PDB file of all heavy atoms in Angstrom:
ATOM      1  N   VAL A 170     -16.176  -8.016  -1.147  1.00 98.00           N
ATOM      2  CA  VAL A 170     -14.721  -8.731  -1.118  1.00 98.00           C
ATOM      3  C   VAL A 170     -14.167  -8.593   0.211  1.00 98.00           C
ATOM      4  O   VAL A 170     -14.296  -7.564   0.891  1.00 98.00           O
ATOM      5  CB  VAL A 170     -13.937  -8.086  -2.274  1.00 98.00           C
ATOM      6  CG1 VAL A 170     -13.815  -6.594  -2.313  1.00 98.00           C
ATOM      7  CG2 VAL A 170     -12.551  -8.703  -2.311  1.00 98.00           C
ATOM      8  N   VAL A 171     -13.498  -9.572   0.618  1.00 98.00           N
ATOM      9  CA  VAL A 171     -12.788  -9.570   2.037  1.00 98.00           C
ATOM     10  C   VAL A 171     -11.462  -8.885   1.737  1.00 98.00           C
ATOM     11  O   VAL A 171     -10.748  -9.300   0.845  1.00 98.00           O
ATOM     12  CB  VAL A 171     -12.593 -11.058   2.561  1.00 98.00           C
ATOM     13  CG1 VAL A 171     -11.733 -10.992   3.813  1.00 98.00           C
ATOM     14  CG2 VAL A 171     -14.007 -11.558   2.828  1.00 98.00           C
ATOM     15  N   ILE A 172     -11.084  -7.810   2.519  1.00 98.00           N
ATOM     16  CA  ILE A 172      -9.815  -7.209   2.423  1.00 98.00           C
ATOM     17  C   ILE A 172      -8.892  -7.702   3.455  1.00 98.00           C
ATOM     18  O   ILE A 172      -9.281  -7.620   4.482  1.00 98.00           O
ATOM     19  CB  ILE A 172     -10.012  -5.610   2.480  1.00 98.00           C
ATOM     20  CG1 ILE A 172     -10.953  -5.102   1.318  1.00 98.00           C
ATOM     21  CG2 ILE A 172      -8.675  -4.921   2.387  1.00 98.00           C
ATOM     22  CD1 ILE A 172     -10.463  -5.387  -0.028  1.00 98.00           C
ATOM     23  N   GLU A 173      -7.839  -8.231   2.874  1.00 98.00           N
ATOM     24  CA  GLU A 173      -6.806  -8.696   3.745  1.00 98.00           C
ATOM     25  C   GLU A 173      -5.661  -7.730   3.838  1.00 98.00           C
ATOM     26  O   GLU A 173      -5.143  -7.235   2.747  1.00 98.00           O
ATOM     27  CB  GLU A 173      -6.208 -10.171   3.498  1.00 98.00           C
ATOM     28  CG  GLU A 173      -7.277 -11.167   3.202  1.00 98.00           C
ATOM     29  CD  GLU A 173      -7.666 -11.922   4.465  1.00 98.00           C
ATOM     30  OE1 GLU A 173      -7.194 -11.478   5.552  1.00 98.00           O
ATOM     31  OE2 GLU A 173      -8.368 -12.861   4.451  1.00 98.00           O
ATOM     32  N   VAL A 174      -5.131  -7.247   5.028  1.00 98.00           N
ATOM     33  CA  VAL A 174      -4.010  -6.340   5.056  1.00 98.00           C
ATOM     34  C   VAL A 174      -2.818  -7.098   5.732  1.00 98.00           C
ATOM     35  O   VAL A 174      -2.920  -7.553   7.005  1.00 98.00           O
ATOM     36  CB  VAL A 174      -4.470  -5.057   5.800  1.00 98.00           C
ATOM     37  CG1 VAL A 174      -3.198  -4.178   5.958  1.00 98.00           C
ATOM     38  CG2 VAL A 174      -5.487  -4.360   5.054  1.00 98.00           C
ATOM     39  N   LEU A 175      -1.802  -7.187   5.192  1.00 98.00           N
ATOM     40  CA  LEU A 175      -0.594  -8.026   5.740  1.00 98.00           C
ATOM     41  C   LEU A 175       0.489  -7.071   6.194  1.00 98.00           C
ATOM     42  O   LEU A 175       0.802  -6.127   5.723  1.00 98.00           O
ATOM     43  CB  LEU A 175      -0.138  -9.026   4.624  1.00 98.00           C
ATOM     44  CG  LEU A 175      -1.103 -10.117   4.540  1.00 98.00           C
ATOM     45  CD1 LEU A 175      -1.876 -10.242   3.297  1.00 98.00           C
ATOM     46  CD2 LEU A 175      -0.542 -11.486   4.950  1.00 98.00           C
ATOM     47  N   PRO A 176       1.332  -7.641   7.231  1.00 98.00           N
ATOM     48  CA  PRO A 176       2.318  -6.868   7.736  1.00 98.00           C
ATOM     49  C   PRO A 176       3.431  -6.398   6.807  1.00 98.00           C
ATOM     50  O   PRO A 176       3.633  -7.060   5.780  1.00 98.00           O
ATOM     51  CB  PRO A 176       3.104  -7.771   8.773  1.00 98.00           C
ATOM     52  CG  PRO A 176       2.106  -8.949   8.929  1.00 98.00           C
ATOM     53  CD  PRO A 176       1.170  -9.017   7.782  1.00 98.00           C
ATOM     54  N   THR A 177       4.054  -5.425   7.095  1.00 98.00           N
ATOM     55  CA  THR A 177       5.164  -4.746   6.331  1.00 98.00           C
ATOM     56  C   THR A 177       6.349  -5.655   6.292  1.00 98.00           C
ATOM     57  O   THR A 177       6.851  -6.113   7.401  1.00 98.00           O
ATOM     58  CB  THR A 177       5.587  -3.447   6.869  1.00 98.00           C
ATOM     59  OG1 THR A 177       4.310  -2.590   6.810  1.00 98.00           O
ATOM     60  CG2 THR A 177       6.633  -2.725   5.951  1.00 98.00           C
ATOM     61  N   VAL A 178       6.902  -6.024   5.211  1.00 98.00           N
ATOM     62  CA  VAL A 178       8.217  -6.809   5.052  1.00 98.00           C
ATOM     63  C   VAL A 178       9.287  -5.786   4.950  1.00 98.00           C
ATOM     64  O   VAL A 178       9.234  -4.911   4.186  1.00 98.00           O
ATOM     65  CB  VAL A 178       8.107  -7.774   3.848  1.00 98.00           C
ATOM     66  CG1 VAL A 178       9.405  -8.484   3.631  1.00 98.00           C
ATOM     67  CG2 VAL A 178       6.915  -8.758   3.933  1.00 98.00           C
ATOM     68  N   ARG A 179      10.342  -6.147   5.745  1.00 98.00           N
ATOM     69  CA  ARG A 179      11.556  -5.188   5.904  1.00 98.00           C
ATOM     70  C   ARG A 179      12.798  -5.750   5.453  1.00 98.00           C
ATOM     71  O   ARG A 179      12.929  -7.096   5.496  1.00 98.00           O
ATOM     72  CB  ARG A 179      11.568  -4.697   7.294  1.00 98.00           C
ATOM     73  CG  ARG A 179      10.237  -4.054   7.797  1.00 98.00           C
ATOM     74  CD  ARG A 179      10.368  -3.555   9.283  1.00 98.00           C
ATOM     75  NE  ARG A 179       9.096  -2.838   9.563  1.00 98.00           N
ATOM     76  CZ  ARG A 179       8.885  -1.630   9.205  1.00 98.00           C
ATOM     77  NH1 ARG A 179       9.723  -0.957   8.406  1.00 98.00           N
ATOM     78  NH2 ARG A 179       7.728  -1.084   9.371  1.00 98.00           N
ATOM     79  N   GLU A 180      13.666  -5.059   5.030  1.00 98.00           N
ATOM     80  CA  GLU A 180      15.116  -5.345   4.789  1.00 98.00           C
ATOM     81  C   GLU A 180      15.613  -5.695   6.246  1.00 98.00           C
ATOM     82  O   GLU A 180      15.152  -5.263   7.290  1.00 98.00           O
ATOM     83  CB  GLU A 180      15.956  -4.215   4.230  1.00 98.00           C
ATOM     84  CG  GLU A 180      15.390  -3.711   2.837  1.00 98.00           C
ATOM     85  CD  GLU A 180      15.616  -4.631   1.658  1.00 98.00           C
ATOM     86  OE1 GLU A 180      16.331  -5.680   1.878  1.00 98.00           O
ATOM     87  OE2 GLU A 180      15.160  -4.421   0.565  1.00 98.00           O
ATOM     88  N   ALA A 181      16.955  -6.344   6.192  1.00 98.00           N
ATOM     89  CA  ALA A 181      17.565  -6.681   7.400  1.00 98.00           C
ATOM     90  C   ALA A 181      17.647  -5.653   8.384  1.00 98.00           C
ATOM     91  O   ALA A 181      17.595  -5.774   9.597  1.00 98.00           O
ATOM     92  CB  ALA A 181      18.950  -7.417   7.167  1.00 98.00           C
ATOM     93  N   ASP A 182      17.962  -4.345   7.851  1.00 97.00           N
ATOM     94  CA  ASP A 182      18.227  -3.232   8.823  1.00 97.00           C
ATOM     95  C   ASP A 182      16.949  -2.549   9.092  1.00 97.00           C
ATOM     96  O   ASP A 182      16.989  -1.413   9.783  1.00 97.00           O
ATOM     97  CB  ASP A 182      19.180  -2.237   8.152  1.00 97.00           C
ATOM     98  CG  ASP A 182      18.714  -1.675   6.863  1.00 97.00           C
ATOM     99  OD1 ASP A 182      17.586  -1.859   6.542  1.00 97.00           O
ATOM    100  OD2 ASP A 182      19.446  -0.676   6.327  1.00 97.00           O
ATOM    101  N   GLY A 183      15.768  -3.010   8.707  1.00 98.00           N
ATOM    102  CA  GLY A 183      14.441  -2.503   9.184  1.00 98.00           C
ATOM    103  C   GLY A 183      13.804  -1.638   8.068  1.00 98.00           C
ATOM    104  O   GLY A 183      12.616  -1.313   8.133  1.00 98.00           O
ATOM    105  N   LEU A 184      14.521  -1.318   6.994  1.00 98.00           N
ATOM    106  CA  LEU A 184      13.913  -0.452   5.968  1.00 98.00           C
ATOM    107  C   LEU A 184      12.775  -1.176   5.347  1.00 98.00           C
ATOM    108  O   LEU A 184      12.952  -2.327   4.944  1.00 98.00           O
ATOM    109  CB  LEU A 184      15.000  -0.069   4.942  1.00 98.00           C
ATOM    110  CG  LEU A 184      14.406   0.663   3.640  1.00 98.00           C
ATOM    111  CD1 LEU A 184      13.954   2.069   3.947  1.00 98.00           C
ATOM    112  CD2 LEU A 184      15.472   0.746   2.507  1.00 98.00           C
ATOM    113  N   ALA A 185      11.552  -0.482   5.268  1.00 98.00           N
ATOM    114  CA  ALA A 185      10.408  -1.217   4.574  1.00 98.00           C
ATOM    115  C   ALA A 185      10.726  -1.306   3.135  1.00 98.00           C
ATOM    116  O   ALA A 185      11.250  -0.430   2.434  1.00 98.00           O
ATOM    117  CB  ALA A 185       9.138  -0.222   4.856  1.00 98.00           C
ATOM    118  N   MET A 186      10.496  -2.607   2.689  1.00 98.00           N
ATOM    119  CA  MET A 186      10.750  -2.786   1.169  1.00 98.00           C
ATOM    120  C   MET A 186       9.724  -2.019   0.475  1.00 98.00           C
ATOM    121  O   MET A 186       8.577  -1.834   0.733  1.00 98.00           O
ATOM    122  CB  MET A 186      10.518  -4.304   0.939  1.00 98.00           C
ATOM    123  CG  MET A 186      11.516  -5.193   1.484  1.00 98.00           C
ATOM    124  SD  MET A 186      11.610  -6.823   0.769  1.00 98.00           S
ATOM    125  CE  MET A 186      13.004  -7.420   1.660  1.00 98.00           C
ATOM    126  N   SER A 187      10.233  -1.416  -0.691  1.00 96.00           N
ATOM    127  CA  SER A 187       9.541  -0.622  -1.586  1.00 96.00           C
ATOM    128  C   SER A 187      10.181  -0.578  -2.902  1.00 96.00           C
ATOM    129  O   SER A 187      11.359  -0.668  -3.080  1.00 96.00           O
ATOM    130  CB  SER A 187       9.465   0.811  -1.054  1.00 96.00           C
ATOM    131  OG  SER A 187       9.013   1.670  -1.996  1.00 96.00           O
ATOM    132  N   SER A 188       9.334  -0.599  -4.006  1.00 94.00           N
ATOM    133  CA  SER A 188       9.866  -0.434  -5.296  1.00 94.00           C
ATOM    134  C   SER A 188      10.816   0.776  -5.452  1.00 94.00           C
ATOM    135  O   SER A 188      11.782   0.823  -6.230  1.00 94.00           O
ATOM    136  CB  SER A 188       8.750  -0.430  -6.270  1.00 94.00           C
ATOM    137  OG  SER A 188       7.854  -1.581  -6.141  1.00 94.00           O
ATOM    138  N   ARG A 189      10.341   1.799  -4.677  1.00 94.00           N
ATOM    139  CA  ARG A 189      11.099   3.141  -4.824  1.00 94.00           C
ATOM    140  C   ARG A 189      12.442   2.977  -4.045  1.00 94.00           C
ATOM    141  O   ARG A 189      13.288   3.936  -4.217  1.00 94.00           O
ATOM    142  CB  ARG A 189      10.202   4.255  -4.220  1.00 94.00           C
ATOM    143  CG  ARG A 189       9.115   4.536  -5.023  1.00 94.00           C
ATOM    144  CD  ARG A 189       8.410   5.812  -4.673  1.00 94.00           C
ATOM    145  NE  ARG A 189       7.419   6.275  -5.642  1.00 94.00           N
ATOM    146  CZ  ARG A 189       6.109   6.050  -5.652  1.00 94.00           C
ATOM    147  NH1 ARG A 189       5.597   5.305  -4.673  1.00 94.00           N
ATOM    148  NH2 ARG A 189       5.447   6.501  -6.620  1.00 94.00           N
ATOM    149  N   ASN A 190      12.772   1.956  -3.245  1.00 96.00           N
ATOM    150  CA  ASN A 190      14.116   1.862  -2.646  1.00 96.00           C
ATOM    151  C   ASN A 190      15.089   1.691  -3.917  1.00 96.00           C
ATOM    152  O   ASN A 190      16.331   1.856  -3.625  1.00 96.00           O
ATOM    153  CB  ASN A 190      14.102   0.555  -1.834  1.00 96.00           C
ATOM    154  CG  ASN A 190      13.304   0.822  -0.519  1.00 96.00           C
ATOM    155  OD1 ASN A 190      12.791   1.898  -0.359  1.00 96.00           O
ATOM    156  ND2 ASN A 190      13.176  -0.308   0.266  1.00 96.00           N
ATOM    157  N   ALA A 191      14.737   1.274  -5.023  1.00 93.00           N
ATOM    158  CA  ALA A 191      15.587   1.190  -6.097  1.00 93.00           C
ATOM    159  C   ALA A 191      16.220   2.491  -6.513  1.00 93.00           C
ATOM    160  O   ALA A 191      17.358   2.736  -7.105  1.00 93.00           O
ATOM    161  CB  ALA A 191      14.865   0.669  -7.426  1.00 93.00           C
ATOM    162  N   TYR A 192      15.595   3.722  -6.041  1.00 95.00           N
ATOM    163  CA  TYR A 192      16.159   5.031  -6.296  1.00 95.00           C
ATOM    164  C   TYR A 192      17.245   5.390  -5.382  1.00 95.00           C
ATOM    165  O   TYR A 192      17.950   6.451  -5.464  1.00 95.00           O
ATOM    166  CB  TYR A 192      15.079   6.089  -6.170  1.00 95.00           C
ATOM    167  CG  TYR A 192      13.879   6.035  -7.014  1.00 95.00           C
ATOM    168  CD1 TYR A 192      12.614   6.519  -6.613  1.00 95.00           C
ATOM    169  CD2 TYR A 192      13.890   5.507  -8.229  1.00 95.00           C
ATOM    170  CE1 TYR A 192      11.510   6.383  -7.284  1.00 95.00           C
ATOM    171  CE2 TYR A 192      12.806   5.287  -9.065  1.00 95.00           C
ATOM    172  CZ  TYR A 192      11.540   5.743  -8.571  1.00 95.00           C
ATOM    173  OH  TYR A 192      10.447   5.767  -9.350  1.00 95.00           O
ATOM    174  N   LEU A 193      17.531   4.560  -4.262  1.00 97.00           N
ATOM    175  CA  LEU A 193      18.385   4.874  -3.258  1.00 97.00           C
ATOM    176  C   LEU A 193      19.885   4.467  -3.567  1.00 97.00           C
ATOM    177  O   LEU A 193      20.047   3.160  -3.774  1.00 97.00           O
ATOM    178  CB  LEU A 193      17.921   4.268  -1.877  1.00 97.00           C
ATOM    179  CG  LEU A 193      16.656   4.770  -1.478  1.00 97.00           C
ATOM    180  CD1 LEU A 193      16.226   3.867  -0.115  1.00 97.00           C
ATOM    181  CD2 LEU A 193      16.649   6.224  -0.903  1.00 97.00           C
TER     182      LEU A 193
END
Side-chain angles (χ1 to χ4, degrees):
V170 52
V171 175
I172 300 300
E173 304 275 9
V174 179
L175 283 115
T177 303
V178 176
R179 300 181 178 281
E180 302 285 357
D182 66 357
L184 175 65
M186 289 196 181
S187 164
S188 307
R189 291 190 167 95
N190 292 351
Y192 301 150
L193 299 168

